[in-house]
Amino acid sequence: QIGAIYARLTKVEPEDFPALMDKFPQYGSGSIAWQFQSLIASRWAEIDPKGLKEFTEKQPRSMRWGLNSALYSNWAKRDPEAALANAVQLSSYQRRSAIGAIATSLAEESPQRALQIIGEYTTLDNSSQWVYQNLFAAWAKKDWDGAMAAAELIENPTARSAAMVGAMHDLIEKDPRAAIDWLDGQEPSGIFSQMRRELLNDIMEEDLSMVLDYISANGDPLTRNQILRNIHFGNLGWEKDFDELLGVMDWIGEVTTGETYSNKVDDILGAMAQADPDRAKAYAQQLPPGDSRTRAMGRIAQTMINNAGPEEALAFVATLEYDDERRRALQNMGW
């Protein structure tokens, strides 16, 4: 679909873009409609940036952010100084996205100029961290060493962490284990912890054993529990077979205890019910009465109502032996 619309966009005249953009709200707000709209805006910005700017100014605030990004990133490729002179006249809300788009567009060819623009025209706060991340991600694609060296020189710790995370994006794609080792070697930081958490969850779908080995190798139980609390096994039911998930269940009992153990068992049981509902029910029913079994019955009922429907899920609840199991199952189904 995207390829087809791109081919047609090369033949669209500037005066036809407004009608084309107005057409898209009727297709809803899903990802495909959003991608089409972004593609149209990017092409419009390439051939008629002033026309797109006039159109953007008439749109609701919720639409301006994305349109400004497309407008100024493409405008900057043709005439960065003109794009910048125009962007600084915008309101603060629009100016931030426009400046970020310009800087990211310049990052590969003129990274120092892009960094200068960010420092001069933006105020650092939590919402502007993405500007540093995008800029340094683009910079690192052509010059990883230079991007990382420049990131380390940034004085503001929040901006420095965001820049270093951006520079790491390319390494994450090429060698995720090396990226984790690098993150572990940095000073404690919220953004580094978040990045490690997201990276481990992403790797798990492709290389589950690597993540399990990494966690097992951490000798500090408190650190291990902290890492485990942010690992989500629930989606593995789509990727792994039941026997592999049984192995993960046994592994959980070896590396953690207490509340973390109970929460992760709950998580894995959901994946097991996703992978093979019948075997998951048989597994849960042979567990001794207690918290783990109660959680298991709740997870299975929740998965069944999603996949098989309420009638089959309620029939399963009727077979449960204990009141607390039935209450947990109904509660999970209600969610």
Side-chain angles (χ1 to χ4, degrees), residues 68-97:
N68 270 337
S69 294
L71 168 61
Y72 287 96
S73 62
N74 285 281
W75 195 350
K77 292 173 184 176
R78 297 174 55 191
D79 191 345
E81 297 310 318
L84 180 61
N86 192 282
V88 297
Q89 299 176 34
L90 298 172
S91 66
S92 59
Y93 171 78
Q94 293 178 282
R95 183 168 62 245
R96 177 182 295 164
S97 64

Side-chain angles (χ1 to χ4, degrees), residues 56-334:
T56 300
E57 290 171 347
K58 300 173 184 176
Q59 303 312 304
R61 178 174 173 173
S62 59
M63 279 188 64
R64 288 183 214 154
W65 187 89
L67 293 175
N68 270 337
S69 294
L71 168 61
Y72 287 96
S73 62
N74 285 281
W75 195 350
K77 292 173 184 176
R78 297 174 55 191
D79 191 345
E81 297 310 318
L84 180 61
N86 192 282
V88 297
Q89 299 176 34
L90 298 172
S91 66
S92 59
Y93 171 78
Q94 293 178 282
R95 183 168 62 245
R96 177 182 295 164
S97 64
I99 295 295
I102 292 169
T104 302
S105 184
L106 294 176
E108 287 192 35
E109 302 299 329
S110 307
Q112 293 291 353
R113 175 59 176 147
L115 192 57
Q116 179 188 1
I117 288 171
I118 289 180
E120 189 172 343
Y121 293 103
T122 64
T123 301
L124 183 66
D125 56 25
N126 290 336
S127 60
S128 62
Q129 289 181 27
W130 67 270
V131 177
Y132 281 89
Q133 288 193 39
N134 289 347
L135 189 162
F136 278 85
W139 186 349
K141 286 182 179 178
K142 297 195 74 171
D143 179 13
W144 191 87
D145 291 332
M148 189 58 74
E152 291 173 349
L153 292 175
I154 296 175
E155 293 184 4
N156 183 284
T158 302
R160 182 171 62 249
S161 296
M164 294 173 81
V165 166
M168 287 296 296
H169 281 179
D170 203 41
L171 180 61
I172 287 170
E173 294 181 4
K174 294 176 180 176
D175 190 346
R177 182 55 203 251
I180 292 174
D181 291 340
W182 182 88
L183 287 166
D184 286 344
Q186 306 309 304
E187 294 182 7
S189 162
I191 196 167
F192 289 150
S193 298
Q194 178 185 350
M195 187 179 187
R196 181 177 64 178
R197 178 170 66 246
E198 293 173 355
L199 181 54
L200 287 171
N201 280 297
D202 287 344
I203 293 172
M204 194 161 56
E205 294 184 9
E206 300 294 331
D207 192 348
L208 176 61
S209 61
M210 195 212 88
V211 175
L212 302 188
D213 290 344
Y214 168 78
I215 295 171
S216 297
N218 195 306
D220 179 16
L222 291 176
T223 304
R224 197 163 57 226
N225 270 10
Q226 185 179 26
I227 296 170
L228 266 172
R229 277 197 293 269
N230 294 306
I231 297 295
H232 306 295
F233 297 103
N235 290 331
L236 292 180
W238 299 104
E239 304 286 341
K240 309 299 179 184
D241 63 35
F242 190 88
D243 290 321
E244 193 169 3
L245 294 170
L246 272 178
V248 178
M249 182 71 80
D250 293 338
W251 173 85
I252 283 291
E254 297 171 2
V255 297
T256 190
T257 58
E259 185 179 359
T260 302
Y261 171 80
S262 296
N263 289 336
K264 294 305 109 179
V265 164
D266 189 29
D267 211 12
I268 297 167
L269 281 164
M272 292 167 70
Q274 189 73 59
D276 191 328
D278 292 333
R279 289 187 67 185
K281 282 188 279 187
Y283 175 83
Q285 286 164 348
Q286 57 83 38
L287 292 173
D291 184 60
S292 294
R293 177 179 163 120
T294 302
R295 286 171 178 257
M297 299 308 180
R299 266 297 191 165
I300 291 168
Q302 181 177 336
T303 303
M304 288 179 69
I305 202 167
N306 283 334
N307 296 342
E311 292 82 2
E312 193 168 330
L314 286 166
F316 166 70
V317 173
T319 70
L320 298 180
E321 184 176 354
Y322 301 105
D323 287 342
D324 57 348
E325 291 178 357
R326 287 192 288 272
R327 283 196 297 270
R328 173 61 70 91
L330 290 168
Q331 183 181 46
N332 284 22
M333 289 163 60

